[in-house]
Each structure stands twice: as structure tokens, then as C-alpha cells.
Amino acid sequence: THTIGLIIPDNSNPFFAEVARGIEDFGFQNGYSVILCNSDGDLKKELAYIGVLTSKRVDGIVFIAATAKAEHIKPFLGEIPLVIVDRKMPDLEADSVLVDNFGGGYAATRHLIDLGHRKIGCITGPPDLAPSADRVAGYKQALKDHGLQPLDELIVEGDFRYQSGNEGMRRLLDLEPPPTAVFACNDVMAIGAMKAVQDQGLRVPEDIAIVGFDDITLASFTNPTLTSVKQPKYEMGKIALELLFQRISSSDLQGRQEIILDTTLVVREST
Ligand code: RIB
């Protein structure tokens, strides 16, 4: 049918929109149309959309999972060519396009240490998601490598959405004394966190430096502009389709490819 299915977990988060752009552009250039499905983090919706896409006989699916779970969809994927992006799914037999989340978390934290910060907080994404867990591991390792002890009270759980960044920062600001810098595991939470600081009459970065992750376009337009770990979002989408086209054209391809792309720290005003 020259159609590709794309399932993303949250269409309100610009990260997924920018990955989808790479997929849609490259698909269209190669004569494919893309059906975009938003699972909204809901396993039932994820399963429903797999059914919709298979009933429409798409040639392949690019899948960004809502959670680390895949057993609910595995029986329904059949032989349909599948490529996983961003969130590693060990129990799904598929090629994957990921980034070096550990290295990105490490670089974000080392940047804050190099600026002289010693009490550095972290607002995590969903703990069961590999990208968040790996970023937090990078944060902890950077602290240890510089003689600093990771403290549980400085690590607050978020869910990759604005509100959880705002609430997480409020909790960190209640500490006596509060951290002087915070690494948020994605830009959307970093933006929520920035508002929490400014709502208390404090300033970014003078009172609290903030680093995000993703480098969505918006990061260049916040006030102050947001320092962030850049993910190659457009390229992730394009490479995912290249892998998918290989699968579609030769289903007897052996083995699975795992592509891990580098991240880059982009320093702006928030640090
Ligand atoms: O902002 C959404 C987050 O979910 C991104 O960091 C991306 O890596 C995905 O895991």
C-alpha cells in the first residue's frame, strides 16, 4: 500500500513531532504516506492502533513505545516490518534507532559541575523507560567522577510532561538549602521547572541553573533560552525509515541492527 504506520506516545511533546517530521519527509520523498497514531501513553490505545495499521495493510511500522512493555502487542505484529525508535524494547525482534542517553546525562551534569555547581538536582522521566534511566545513570556517574555523592533527596521523579517538571522543581526548591542547578531529563519538564523558579521570584540561571534534554526548537525561544542535550531527532526519523525500507524490500534480512546516535550539549542562557 506504500503506507507506513508511526506510533508515538505523546503528540503534545515537540520531541515526537520533530522525529515524525523526519519520517514523514523521507517517506514522502520515497513515495510513501505516513499514518500517525498517538497512543497517549495508553497500552490499550497502542494495541488498538497496531490493529488499525495492520488492517490497513501498512507496509511497515515505526514504533516509539509508551512504556517498556511489549507483550501486549507482540502477538499482533506478525511478520510486519517494524523499527523501534528512541525507547529500547529488548523483547521485540526489530531494528532500533537510539541515542547515547547515558553520555547525554553525563555531559549535562559535567557542564554544571564545570560551572562550579556542587548541589545538583535531577528531575527524572518515567523510571521504567530506558532513556530516562540511562540519563539518570549518566548524571550519577558524572557526580561520582567529580567526587560528589548522588543524594536521593536531590532526585525527583517526573513523567516527561510539563507539570511534573514544575512540581519536581517546587520540591527541590523546598530543600534547605535548595540545589543551585538542576538537570531535567527532557526539555518539556525543564520548561515546567523554569516556570516554578520564576513563579517564586527567583532567577534562572543566577539562582538556579537548568539543563534539559532533547533540544526541541522551543529551547531557543524560552526566556532565558534553555541549555539542552540535543538529540538528532530528524536524523533518527530518517534512519528509522531507511532501516524499515531495507526490511520491506528484503524480508529475509538476518539479524537486527541497533543504531546508537550521539547527543550534543547545546549551551544557552539557562546555565
Ligand atoms: O521528551 C520526550 C522524551 O521521551 C524524549 O527525551 C525522548 O527521548 C523520549 O524518550
Side-chain angles (χ1 to χ4, degrees), residues 170-188:
R170 288 171 190 275
R171 283 176 49 199
L172 291 171
L173 289 173
D174 286 343
L175 296 176
E176 283 300 331
T180 60
V182 171
F183 165 48
C185 287
N186 81 339
D187 286 350
V188 156

Side-chain angles (χ1 to χ4, degrees), residues 135-193:
R135 293 167 201 170
V136 175
Y139 156 82
K140 289 180 175 177
Q141 193 58 53
L143 292 176
K144 288 176 190 163
D145 290 354
H146 293 80
L148 299 167
Q149 192 57 36
L151 301 173
D152 288 347
E153 65 171 12
L154 285 175
I155 300 172
V156 293
E157 187 177 316
D159 63 4
F160 275 157
R161 293 174 187 255
Y162 293 99
Q163 190 56 32
S164 68
N166 190 281
E167 287 162 4
M169 180 58 91
R170 288 171 190 275
R171 283 176 49 199
L172 291 171
L173 289 173
D174 286 343
L175 296 176
E176 283 300 331
T180 60
V182 171
F183 165 48
C185 287
N186 81 339
D187 286 350
V188 156
M189 293 193 299
I191 291 166

Side-chain angles (χ1 to χ4, degrees), residues 13 15-16 86-87 101 131 135 160 185-186 213-214 231:
N13 183 320
F15 169 83
F16 300 109
D86 175 70
R87 296 165 179 196
N101 290 294
R135 293 167 201 170
F160 275 157
C185 287
N186 81 339
F213 202 110
D214 291 347
Q231 294 206 59

Side-chain angles (χ1 to χ4, degrees), residues 1-223:
T1 59
H2 269 77
T3 312
I4 298 289
L6 168 59
I7 301 180
I8 62 173
D10 177 4
N11 66 349
S12 70
N13 183 320
F15 169 83
F16 300 109
E18 294 183 31
V19 171
R21 180 66 186 275
I23 290 168
E24 206 275 330
D25 281 357
F26 193 64
F28 190 78
Q29 288 160 20
N30 287 272
Y32 280 80
S33 52
V34 177
I35 298 176
L36 175 62
C37 306
N38 176 41
S39 68
D40 204 15
D42 180 321
L43 297 186
K44 290 191 183 66
K45 280 185 81 174
E46 224 170 43
L47 182 56
Y49 277 125
I50 296 278
V52 167
L53 295 174
T54 45
S55 69
K56 290 186 181 301
R57 297 180 54 246
V58 294
D59 299 311
I61 294 176
V62 177
F63 183 52
I64 308 183
T67 69
K69 298 189 185 73
E71 58 272 6
H72 60 300
I73 55 173
K74 215 167 170 178
F76 301 93
L77 288 171
E79 297 309 309
I80 195 163
L82 177 76
V83 171
I84 287 159
V85 171
D86 175 70
R87 296 165 179 196
K88 197 178 177 114
M89 306 295 290
D91 55 353
L92 274 188
E93 273 297 290
D95 297 326
S96 54
V97 182
L98 312 170
V99 303
D100 174 16
N101 290 294
F102 178 91
Y106 192 103
T109 308
R110 187 179 52 203
H111 168 59
L112 294 169
I113 294 168
D114 291 348
L115 289 172
H117 295 286
R118 291 298 174 268
K119 188 160 189 177
I120 301 171
C122 179
I123 303 174
T124 76
D128 66 317
L129 285 184
S132 177
D134 292 348
R135 293 167 201 170
V136 175
Y139 156 82
K140 289 180 175 177
Q141 193 58 53
L143 292 176
K144 288 176 190 163
D145 290 354
H146 293 80
L148 299 167
Q149 192 57 36
L151 301 173
D152 288 347
E153 65 171 12
L154 285 175
I155 300 172
V156 293
E157 187 177 316
D159 63 4
F160 275 157
R161 293 174 187 255
Y162 293 99
Q163 190 56 32
S164 68
N166 190 281
E167 287 162 4
M169 180 58 91
R170 288 171 190 275
R171 283 176 49 199
L172 291 171
L173 289 173
D174 286 343
L175 296 176
E176 283 300 331
T180 60
V182 171
F183 165 48
C185 287
N186 81 339
D187 286 350
V188 156
M189 293 193 299
I191 291 166
M194 200 185 281
K195 181 148 188 340
V197 174
Q198 292 165 341
D199 284 351
Q200 296 205 11
L202 299 172
R203 299 158 304 163
V204 177
E206 294 80 357
D207 296 308
I208 303 257
I210 297 178
V211 183
F213 202 110
D214 291 347
D215 194 31
I216 58 176
T217 305
L218 186 58
S220 300
F221 294 91
T222 50
N223 181 19

